[in-house]
Amino acid sequence: MLAILLALAAAALVAPLWVKALGRNAFYVLAVVPLAGLGWVFANWGSTQQVRLAWAPSIEMNIDLRFDSLAAVMSALVLGVGALILAYCARYFDDDEPRLGVFAAEMVGFACAMFGLVTSDNILLLFVFWEVTTVLSFLLVGHHAEQAASRRAAIQALLVTAAGGLAMLVGLIILGEANGSYLLSDLLARAQPPHGLAVNVAVVLILIGALSKSAVVPLHFWLPGAMAAPTPVSAYLHAAAMVKAGVYLVARLAPVFADNPVWHPLVLTLGVASMLLAGLRAMEVTDLKLVLAFGTVSQLGFLIVLVGLGTPDAALAGVALIVAHALFKACLFMVVGIIDHSAGTRDLRRLSGLGRRAPVLCGTAVLAALSMAGIPPLIGFVGKESALGAILDTETIAGPIRVALAVGVVLGSMLTVGYSARFLWGAFADKTLHPSEQGAHRASPAEGHPAWFEHSAEKHGPPAHAAKHGEAARAEHARPARATTVWHAPSALFIAPPAILAAAGFLAGPAAPWLDHLFSPYAETLPAELLSHLALWHGLTVPLALTVVIIAGGLGLFQLRDRLRDPERPRLGNADRAYDATLHAMDRLSLRMTGAVQRGSLPLSQATILGTLIILPSALLAVGTRTGVELRLWDSPLQAVIGGIMIAMALGATVLRNRLAAVLVVGVTGYGCGVIFALHGAPDLALTQFLVETLTLVIFVLVLRAFPAEIEESRATAFKARRALLAALVGTAVTVFGAFATAARTAEPIWYRIPDAAYQFGGGKNAVNVLLVDIRAWDTLGEISVLVVAATGVASLVFRSRRFGSAPRAADSPNYDPDLVSWLPAGRLVDRADRSMVLQITTRLVFPTIMVLSVYFFFSGHNAPGGGFAGGLTAGLALTLRYLAGGRYELGEALPVDAGHLLGAGLTMAAGTAVSSLFFGAPPLSSAIFEVTLPVLGHVKLVTALFFDLGVYLIVVGLVLDVLRSLGARLDSELATVTRSAKGDSAP
């Protein structure tokens, strides 16, 4: 399993390169990867496989995979249908399709995420894959990002499914805590399922996530809108894969929670409602793709009813219909894509005579549609026959409810037959426009989406040989006329993938007993005896009689299709408009809240935040449990002296008018804090504080160069008692909170154990550094990632066009003379008024020493004060000294490397260290210790955390370099341009 996941992930990474090299034919190469995975699934069908990799055991976040009968069924669909969809893409797209390589990577990545989802045993890992499919679905639906309809559909799908996913996450955590384990296998193995109010709430939240993913009413509207995606996306995500995720989760939890009091009311009611409402909508719309989309919503409701019923017979029928639905619905979506690609329209009012012109395609669609309608001898009939029998025979629900459920399923199945017949008639029959369908193409599209979905080719209009373009085409579409279709015959390779799926659905019907052997192991996991089996013929039974009624009723609905469709507006209202109204209401509420608390005044915003900081914790402290507080003013009189200096400097900063002086006195408070660290025996913290404070001062100086030295009289702020009182209250509150928080500790502080743990497990004597790069390296990885993002964000704000990454070198200056000698390579390029010979000589002498000190801090940090952060800051100070002495050209001479490259290399080094330990069977970020004796160096002890620390070092250096080049070199360049313009010098 893990090998399949890694292979799919690797294929997704290299997909853009393959598409660039092979064009659209690269999809055939990519299809081999899921096809090979399908071979593994069939080879291991019937067995139970497990993979256990520790990732973050303390929070139950491990890579736990499990392959069983239900995972085998879903994996076969994900990989098998995925391989055919990729082969279909090779003829659906043209080589000049924009972003084709990215699209290929997203499709393969989606297959990887879905396979991980259905094989996850850890529910937290399942949620991770769940959200990955949400994000990839957003990207795939919005593939044509230049079209407003695609952007809207992608955002809508993201909001609905992501909101459901967040609700589901809360439910999963509650369930994991109530179960005492986050493994699905442990949950399924319990003799008694967890119960109680918290578990009931968890079940509701999990069902919200599952039903939103599977587009069940009332969260169904995002799926018809997602038809803005290219047809391969619809055929894979919205027929065979993504929308099955919710059905899979319900099926996975049904053996445990089918008897939960909230389970049946939600699952059965909403499932039947989806069957009926979406089935009626499928009889109204005129876009073939929307007919299938609403049909998908209807059948997803049917599947939810079956797998959620909680009986072995219903579970068996549900799995059979899951397979049947994937086969016929993916096939029909691909057929619609071929029609749109070759005829230039999907509007069933414009299509006519395709049955004669494309008999193979028509035969493929007929087989799939018959399976969708439940006509023998196809697999759809087998599944629906078993479903009717399972519903009629169930004893887990009361008699009247069982009758109502059966009636709802029968009515929904009639609608399925009706829209199946309407699909075949609309796509392939010879017909003349009905009077009710003549006229302009009024918008009766999917839940309020633009009529673009109804009658426009996906790929920016039909090909030149198939239909007209532009205003002429739209005018032609607007005229009442006899239905005509220009047809360009598709290639055999284009038709092959849907034909294979249609043939599989046809052959699977007679092979029902063999399929029963494959599917029944899952059904037997439910707490009852499996009484029925899959078969093409069960004799003259009540389900068979109901099937006859369903077919007759469905054909009757097809005859009444014109009366069911209102060309002006849908009879059932418009859920999409409710979605828009909800978003608008949330926008208005957010504007009112923002207007109430953010009025554009920075002092007011700060006062609101600080006031909240004072009031809420103080109120909770006043009414909550309090512990005695013991304070001593100082450990030594020196601390009192330093504290007094810091207080004096802080007060001085509030009255100084000179900006630079104010920055310097604020810096003294930072240095005082570093001295207190040192006095308390924390040299690492003291060193870091000194370095950060020094670098901060330099950055402030660089920024303040663009400001006047003194604060203007008009901008000066008089003393305000309210601000002073607020500042005093904040300081007092923070001190009190800290004192009470320290006194509230009852257990032994963990820091007693850290020094021994640092040496025993991390191989280092410097507990602070070992904490950063080993014990709590996950925190550090997150922090440096944020640091890189922040640096990129600052650079994007400063630079108008592109990042000012590599500073110019001395040779790039028009005034450079290679024959001149100076202490620094670019020293002579500094203006005489700003040049300091003493500073240049000092820099020439001190710079190598500082860099050696930086390297020393880096290597010694695991056992002595230092580390990657301190070493990087020291190197940054050395670069700052070179810049101050020699200007922007000197910075290019000191380090002629793009700052962005350093940041990227550091993050790659740190993340690579995190992942590499997995290949050695250890948890991520696990340190290995190597000891060796070398001839000259002697005994050397190497801890692999050093490579993680190297990533930190590079990121810090890159960040400093970015700051110097953005706030320093870039500003120098602009000032030099302004100076030359003032002097009339046009030299670059």
Side-chain angles (χ1 to χ4, degrees), residues 771-933:
L771 273 173
L772 293 176
V773 301
D774 192 311
I775 298 176
R776 303 200 62 179
W778 276 113
D779 291 348
T780 306
L781 182 60
E783 290 164 1
I784 61 177
S785 301
V786 171
L787 202 61
V788 172
V789 172
T792 304
V794 170
S796 65
L797 290 174
V798 173
F799 305 131
R800 291 169 297 188
S801 56
R802 62 181 180 85
R803 194 188 200 106
F804 196 67
S806 299
R809 303 186 66 173
D812 299 327
S813 171
N815 302 320
Y816 176 70
D817 186 351
D819 296 328
L820 294 177
V821 179
S822 65
W823 286 97
L824 295 175
R828 294 229 177 233
L829 298 177
V830 180
D831 190 89
R832 289 183 178 274
D834 300 325
R835 189 186 307 167
S836 171
M837 189 62 64
V838 174
L839 181 58
Q840 290 191 7
I841 295 173
T842 304
T843 301
R844 176 67 177 267
L845 298 175
V846 172
F847 177 79
T849 305
I850 300 178
M851 290 304 300
V852 170
L853 182 62
S854 167
V855 175
Y856 168 77
F857 281 150
F858 169 70
F859 281 106
S860 69
H862 212 59
N863 293 289
F869 192 74
L873 288 173
T874 305
L877 289 175
L879 293 173
T880 302
L881 186 61
R882 287 283 294 267
Y883 166 71
L884 294 176
R888 61 192 178 106
Y889 292 108
E890 186 62 32
L891 190 60
E893 294 290 336
L895 192 60
V897 179
D898 192 297
H901 293 170
L902 278 178
L903 292 170
L907 189 59
T908 302
M909 175 71 70
T913 306
V915 176
S916 60
S917 55
L918 288 175
F919 295 99
F920 298 97
L925 287 173
S926 298
S927 296
I929 302 174
F930 300 94
E931 297 189 53
V932 63
T933 301

Side-chain angles (χ1 to χ4, degrees), residues 335-393:
V335 167
V336 171
I338 294 174
I339 292 173
D340 191 24
H341 192 277
S342 300
T345 183
R346 299 191 305 261
D347 193 331
L348 56 81
R349 298 169 297 183
R350 301 295 304 167
L351 295 168
S352 179
L354 296 190
R356 292 179 288 101
R357 303 181 189 182
V360 175
L361 185 65
C362 179
T364 299
V366 167
L367 285 178
L370 290 178
S371 183
M372 181 166 65
I375 307 298
L378 289 102
I379 183 62
F381 166 76
V382 174
K384 189 172 292 184
E385 186 92 347
S386 299
L388 292 172
I391 293 173
L392 293 174
D393 295 337

Side-chain angles (χ1 to χ4, degrees), residues 77 81 85 223 227 231-244 292 296 300 303 322-334:
L77 296 181
V81 177
I85 295 293
L223 180 58
M227 294 302 105
T231 291
V233 176
S234 302
Y236 191 31
L237 276 66
H238 308 136
M242 175 183 171
V243 293
K244 295 292 196 312
L292 296 180
T296 299
L300 288 171
L303 294 176
I322 287 174
V323 174
H325 181 266
L327 294 177
F328 63 68
K329 194 54 67 72
C331 170
L332 291 174
F333 269 116
M334 286 192 277

